[in-house]
Amino acid sequence: MGHEILHVVGARPNFMKAAPVISALDQRHVPQRVVHTGQHYDPAMSDVFFVELGLPEPDVNLGVGSGSHARQTAALLTGLEDELTERRPAVAVVYGDVNSTLAAALVAAKLHVDVAHVEAGLRSFDPTMPEEINRRVTDSLSTLLFVTSPEGMAHLAREGADPSALYLVGNPMIDTLLANLDRFDPARITTRLRLPAEYAVSTLHRPANVDDPSAARAVVSALAEVAATLAVVVPLHPRGRAALRRAGLDDAAGVHVVDPLGYIEFLSLVRGARLVVTDSGGLQEETTVLDVPCLTLRPNTERPITVTHGTNRLVAAGEVAKQAAAILDGGVRFPTVRPPLWDGRAGARIADVIAGAVA
Ligand code: UD1
């Protein structure tokens, strides 16, 4: 085995988690290699994040692209096996819960390469979500488990994880947010998108909300109801774009559909929003730290700390308008305790452990 740390990233939510870890390992002079799987390939879903977050250009892009779960995962496995066989890294670092994460963990474990999972231990207990399967399998194969919140430590302990592999380190996605806070300028993005000063932001892409036409119609009518009193901006993920359009998203008065935004513009928009309606995982955490009310269109969350400590509420489509009205009336109180260790130092803690493991 070499001494190199090999990071595997591939989809949009990986990039803001990897940036602080790579930078902290760089400061410790640890040799690193960045492999982009190519799961996300549109410039607006990938390149813009590398530029804005100061991520090093990937050493290699496997160009795996889109496909069914089996086809995409198969392409990820073969591409990553070639890469890891050639490089024999000391540790493969994988992020979050996307298909690239699962594939990298499986390939590394079978090649006897240690797997470090950043954002380990999250559980929605909802087996219908592909991400829940990815998380469980990845955690079971990992030798270093970097956990963002205390309930994640409890889940892993209950599943029999080796206690010496568990590290409660905080949240590297929040490191990135705090490091860039000064760059989030709501006025600038609202001017560019010609939005009113008061608005809501919505992002939707989960299969449960966009694949089934009746679910997509329910979501669109919820946004249309909110938009009757407050403009709703929807930076639209490519997944589900067609389904939400078929469900009438473009025709709803007060709904502004825009292309996916880069990191700085998107967080600028969120920072200035009265509220957020989403099915994203990361946005539940970002709104908690930015103190922006968040209505999550899901029956469960793997991030319950955003409900107990933050601004997050789980809602069904039929409840969105009422909940939004209550927030706008000022009738909803949220706790304002920052989750423990969400302090901008998670990347440094992770880098200390990894650097120690390969020293
Ligand atoms: C993936 C993750 C999801 C995460 C999301 C964030 C999995 C199983 N899902 O979902 O957990 O919340 O990323 O964005 O890994 N597409 C493009 N351009 C791209 C990438 C995708 O047009 O650059 C379109 C393609 O039609 C593709 C579809 O989006 O088939 C889905 O892409 P995929 O990577 O399979 O999953 P996401 O829905 O993006």
Side-chain angles (χ1 to χ4, degrees), residues 11-13 39-42 45 66-67 69 72 97-99 130-131 134 205-206 237-239 241:
R12 185 169 62 177
Q39 176 174 347
H40 284 175
Y41 43 84
D42 287 349
M45 300 291 289
S66 303
H69 281 272
Q72 185 181 61
D97 54 19
V98 302
N99 285 349
E131 293 81 4
N134 293 346
H205 71 290
R206 298 261 170 228
H237 189 288
R239 184 175 206 294
R241 186 161 41 201

Short mmCIF file of all heavy atoms in Angstrom, two decimals, residues 11-13 39-42 45 66-67 69 72 97-99 130-131 134 205-206 237-239 241, ligand 1:
data_model
loop_
_atom_site.label_atom_id
_atom_site.label_comp_id
_atom_site.label_asym_id
_atom_site.label_seq_id
_atom_site.Cartn_x
_atom_site.Cartn_y
_atom_site.Cartn_z
N ALA A 11 -20.87 13.44 -7.04
CA ALA A 11 -22.15 14.12 -7.18
C ALA A 11 -22.14 15.42 -6.37
O ALA A 11 -21.38 15.55 -5.41
CB ALA A 11 -23.29 13.21 -6.71
N ARG A 12 -23.01 16.33 -6.76
CA ARG A 12 -22.98 17.70 -6.22
C ARG A 12 -22.79 17.78 -4.70
O ARG A 12 -21.91 18.53 -4.24
CB ARG A 12 -24.25 18.43 -6.67
CG ARG A 12 -24.27 19.89 -6.28
CD ARG A 12 -25.39 20.64 -6.98
NE ARG A 12 -26.72 20.14 -6.62
CZ ARG A 12 -27.85 20.68 -7.07
NH1 ARG A 12 -27.83 21.70 -7.90
NH2 ARG A 12 -29.02 20.17 -6.70
N PRO A 13 -23.57 17.02 -3.89
CA PRO A 13 -23.41 17.22 -2.44
C PRO A 13 -22.08 16.72 -1.89
O PRO A 13 -21.75 17.00 -0.73
CB PRO A 13 -24.58 16.44 -1.84
CG PRO A 13 -25.03 15.51 -2.90
CD PRO A 13 -24.68 16.12 -4.22
N GLN A 39 -20.34 11.03 -11.92
CA GLN A 39 -21.78 10.79 -11.72
C GLN A 39 -22.56 12.05 -12.09
O GLN A 39 -23.58 11.98 -12.76
CB GLN A 39 -22.06 10.36 -10.28
CG GLN A 39 -23.57 10.20 -10.01
CD GLN A 39 -23.90 9.64 -8.64
OE1 GLN A 39 -23.03 9.13 -7.92
NE2 GLN A 39 -25.17 9.74 -8.25
N HIS A 40 -22.11 13.20 -11.61
CA HIS A 40 -22.66 14.48 -12.08
C HIS A 40 -21.64 15.10 -13.03
O HIS A 40 -20.44 15.11 -12.75
CB HIS A 40 -22.96 15.41 -10.91
CG HIS A 40 -24.20 15.02 -10.17
ND1 HIS A 40 -24.63 15.63 -9.02
CD2 HIS A 40 -25.14 14.06 -10.43
CE1 HIS A 40 -25.76 15.07 -8.60
NE2 HIS A 40 -26.08 14.11 -9.44
N TYR A 41 -22.13 15.59 -14.15
CA TYR A 41 -21.23 16.01 -15.23
C TYR A 41 -21.61 17.37 -15.83
O TYR A 41 -20.79 18.00 -16.48
CB TYR A 41 -21.22 14.94 -16.34
CG TYR A 41 -22.61 14.43 -16.62
CD1 TYR A 41 -23.47 15.10 -17.48
CD2 TYR A 41 -23.10 13.30 -15.95
CE1 TYR A 41 -24.77 14.65 -17.69
CE2 TYR A 41 -24.40 12.85 -16.16
CZ TYR A 41 -25.23 13.53 -17.03
OH TYR A 41 -26.51 13.11 -17.20
N ASP A 42 -22.85 17.82 -15.65
CA ASP A 42 -23.19 19.16 -16.16
C ASP A 42 -22.29 20.18 -15.46
O ASP A 42 -22.10 20.08 -14.24
CB ASP A 42 -24.66 19.52 -15.83
CG ASP A 42 -25.65 18.74 -16.68
OD1 ASP A 42 -25.23 18.09 -17.64
OD2 ASP A 42 -26.85 18.80 -16.34
N MET A 45 -23.63 21.40 -12.28
CA MET A 45 -23.76 20.43 -11.19
C MET A 45 -22.41 20.03 -10.63
O MET A 45 -22.34 19.31 -9.63
CB MET A 45 -24.46 19.15 -11.70
CG MET A 45 -25.86 19.36 -12.24
SD MET A 45 -27.04 19.78 -10.95
CE MET A 45 -27.17 18.22 -10.08
N SER A 66 -24.82 9.01 -16.22
CA SER A 66 -26.11 8.60 -15.66
C SER A 66 -26.50 7.20 -16.11
O SER A 66 -25.94 6.65 -17.06
CB SER A 66 -27.20 9.56 -16.14
OG SER A 66 -26.88 10.88 -15.78
N GLY A 67 -27.49 6.65 -15.42
CA GLY A 67 -28.04 5.34 -15.79
C GLY A 67 -28.93 4.84 -14.68
O GLY A 67 -29.06 5.50 -13.65
N HIS A 69 -29.86 2.52 -11.45
CA HIS A 69 -28.96 2.27 -10.31
C HIS A 69 -27.96 1.17 -10.64
O HIS A 69 -26.76 1.31 -10.37
CB HIS A 69 -29.77 1.92 -9.05
CG HIS A 69 -30.33 3.13 -8.40
ND1 HIS A 69 -29.64 3.86 -7.47
CD2 HIS A 69 -31.50 3.77 -8.60
CE1 HIS A 69 -30.36 4.90 -7.10
NE2 HIS A 69 -31.51 4.86 -7.78
N GLN A 72 -25.45 2.38 -13.48
CA GLN A 72 -24.53 3.41 -12.99
C GLN A 72 -23.55 2.81 -11.97
O GLN A 72 -22.35 3.07 -12.02
CB GLN A 72 -25.33 4.56 -12.35
CG GLN A 72 -24.46 5.73 -11.93
CD GLN A 72 -25.28 6.84 -11.28
OE1 GLN A 72 -25.92 6.61 -10.25
NE2 GLN A 72 -25.29 8.00 -11.89
N ASP A 97 -23.82 9.87 0.73
CA ASP A 97 -24.65 8.69 0.53
C ASP A 97 -25.07 8.48 -0.92
O ASP A 97 -26.11 7.89 -1.19
CB ASP A 97 -25.91 8.81 1.41
CG ASP A 97 -26.66 10.12 1.16
OD1 ASP A 97 -26.44 10.74 0.10
OD2 ASP A 97 -27.45 10.52 2.03
N VAL A 98 -24.28 8.97 -1.85
CA VAL A 98 -24.67 8.83 -3.26
C VAL A 98 -24.12 7.52 -3.82
O VAL A 98 -23.35 6.82 -3.16
CB VAL A 98 -24.22 10.06 -4.09
CG1 VAL A 98 -24.82 11.33 -3.51
CG2 VAL A 98 -22.70 10.16 -4.17
N ASN A 99 -24.50 7.17 -5.04
CA ASN A 99 -24.06 5.89 -5.60
C ASN A 99 -22.54 5.82 -5.71
O ASN A 99 -21.95 4.75 -5.57
CB ASN A 99 -24.72 5.66 -6.97
CG ASN A 99 -26.18 5.26 -6.82
OD1 ASN A 99 -26.65 4.95 -5.72
ND2 ASN A 99 -26.92 5.27 -7.92
N PRO A 130 -32.85 5.21 -1.93
CA PRO A 130 -31.56 4.61 -2.32
C PRO A 130 -30.43 5.05 -1.41
O PRO A 130 -29.51 4.28 -1.11
CB PRO A 130 -31.34 5.10 -3.76
CG PRO A 130 -32.37 6.16 -4.02
CD PRO A 130 -33.48 5.97 -3.02
N GLU A 131 -30.50 6.29 -0.92
CA GLU A 131 -29.43 6.81 -0.07
C GLU A 131 -29.31 6.02 1.24
O GLU A 131 -28.21 5.89 1.77
CB GLU A 131 -29.66 8.29 0.26
CG GLU A 131 -29.57 9.23 -0.92
CD GLU A 131 -30.82 9.29 -1.78
OE1 GLU A 131 -31.83 8.64 -1.41
OE2 GLU A 131 -30.80 9.98 -2.82
N ASN A 134 -27.33 3.01 0.50
CA ASN A 134 -25.93 3.41 0.30
C ASN A 134 -25.23 3.69 1.63
O ASN A 134 -24.08 3.30 1.85
CB ASN A 134 -25.85 4.66 -0.59
CG ASN A 134 -26.30 4.38 -2.01
OD1 ASN A 134 -26.43 3.23 -2.42
ND2 ASN A 134 -26.56 5.43 -2.78
N HIS A 205 -36.07 16.97 -5.85
CA HIS A 205 -35.55 16.02 -6.83
C HIS A 205 -35.70 14.57 -6.42
O HIS A 205 -35.38 13.67 -7.18
CB HIS A 205 -34.08 16.31 -7.12
CG HIS A 205 -33.17 15.94 -5.98
ND1 HIS A 205 -33.14 16.63 -4.80
CD2 HIS A 205 -32.28 14.92 -5.84
CE1 HIS A 205 -32.26 16.07 -3.99
NE2 HIS A 205 -31.73 15.03 -4.58
N ARG A 206 -36.21 14.30 -5.21
CA ARG A 206 -36.28 12.91 -4.74
C ARG A 206 -37.30 12.11 -5.55
O ARG A 206 -38.38 12.63 -5.86
CB ARG A 206 -36.73 12.85 -3.29
CG ARG A 206 -35.82 13.51 -2.35
CD ARG A 206 -34.89 12.57 -1.64
NE ARG A 206 -33.92 13.40 -0.95
CZ ARG A 206 -32.61 13.21 -0.99
NH1 ARG A 206 -32.10 12.19 -1.66
NH2 ARG A 206 -31.79 14.01 -0.36
N HIS A 237 -33.25 20.95 -10.35
CA HIS A 237 -32.32 19.83 -10.55
C HIS A 237 -32.73 19.10 -11.84
O HIS A 237 -33.92 18.97 -12.11
CB HIS A 237 -32.44 18.91 -9.33
CG HIS A 237 -31.42 17.82 -9.25
ND1 HIS A 237 -31.42 16.74 -10.09
CD2 HIS A 237 -30.38 17.64 -8.40
CE1 HIS A 237 -30.40 15.94 -9.76
NE2 HIS A 237 -29.77 16.47 -8.74
N PRO A 238 -31.73 18.59 -12.60
CA PRO A 238 -32.12 17.90 -13.84
C PRO A 238 -33.05 16.71 -13.59
O PRO A 238 -33.90 16.39 -14.41
CB PRO A 238 -30.80 17.44 -14.45
CG PRO A 238 -29.71 17.87 -13.55
CD PRO A 238 -30.29 18.71 -12.45
N ARG A 239 -32.84 16.04 -12.43
CA ARG A 239 -33.71 14.91 -12.13
C ARG A 239 -35.09 15.44 -11.76
O ARG A 239 -35.24 16.24 -10.85
CB ARG A 239 -33.16 14.12 -10.95
CG ARG A 239 -33.97 12.89 -10.69
CD ARG A 239 -33.38 12.03 -9.61
NE ARG A 239 -33.81 10.67 -9.84
CZ ARG A 239 -35.08 10.30 -9.74
NH1 ARG A 239 -36.01 11.17 -9.42
NH2 ARG A 239 -35.42 9.06 -9.99
N ARG A 241 -36.94 17.29 -13.63
CA ARG A 241 -37.29 18.53 -14.32
C ARG A 241 -38.52 18.30 -15.21
O ARG A 241 -39.50 19.04 -15.15
CB ARG A 241 -36.09 18.97 -15.17
CG ARG A 241 -36.25 20.31 -15.84
CD ARG A 241 -34.91 20.89 -16.27
NE ARG A 241 -34.00 19.90 -16.82
CZ ARG A 241 -32.68 20.06 -16.88
NH1 ARG A 241 -32.10 21.15 -16.42
NH2 ARG A 241 -31.91 19.13 -17.40
C1 UD1 B 1 -27.89 12.08 -6.68
C2 UD1 B 1 -27.93 11.26 -5.40
C3 UD1 B 1 -28.81 11.97 -4.37
C4 UD1 B 1 -28.40 13.41 -4.18
C5 UD1 B 1 -28.35 14.11 -5.52
C6 UD1 B 1 -27.89 15.54 -5.36
C7 UD1 B 1 -27.76 8.85 -5.77
C8 UD1 B 1 -28.50 7.57 -5.69
N1 UD1 B 1 -28.50 9.96 -5.62
O1 UD1 B 1 -29.20 12.10 -7.20
O2 UD1 B 1 -28.69 11.28 -3.15
O3 UD1 B 1 -29.34 14.02 -3.34
O4 UD1 B 1 -27.44 13.40 -6.39
O5 UD1 B 1 -27.89 16.21 -6.58
O6 UD1 B 1 -26.56 8.85 -5.94
N2 UD1 B 1 -28.42 14.46 -14.58
C9 UD1 B 1 -28.07 15.46 -15.46
N3 UD1 B 1 -26.84 16.07 -15.28
C10 UD1 B 1 -25.97 15.69 -14.33
C11 UD1 B 1 -26.33 14.65 -13.48
C12 UD1 B 1 -27.55 14.05 -13.59
O7 UD1 B 1 -28.82 15.82 -16.34
O8 UD1 B 1 -24.88 16.29 -14.25
C13 UD1 B 1 -29.76 13.84 -14.72
C14 UD1 B 1 -29.78 12.59 -15.56
O9 UD1 B 1 -30.98 12.56 -16.24
C15 UD1 B 1 -29.74 11.50 -14.52
C16 UD1 B 1 -30.55 12.09 -13.40
O10 UD1 B 1 -30.22 13.48 -13.42
O11 UD1 B 1 -30.27 10.28 -14.98
C17 UD1 B 1 -30.24 11.51 -12.04
O12 UD1 B 1 -28.84 11.62 -11.75
P1 UD1 B 1 -28.18 10.63 -10.66
O13 UD1 B 1 -26.75 10.94 -10.50
O14 UD1 B 1 -28.56 9.21 -10.97
O15 UD1 B 1 -28.94 10.97 -9.32
P2 UD1 B 1 -29.47 12.36 -8.73
O16 UD1 B 1 -30.93 12.40 -8.85
O17 UD1 B 1 -28.67 13.49 -9.26
#
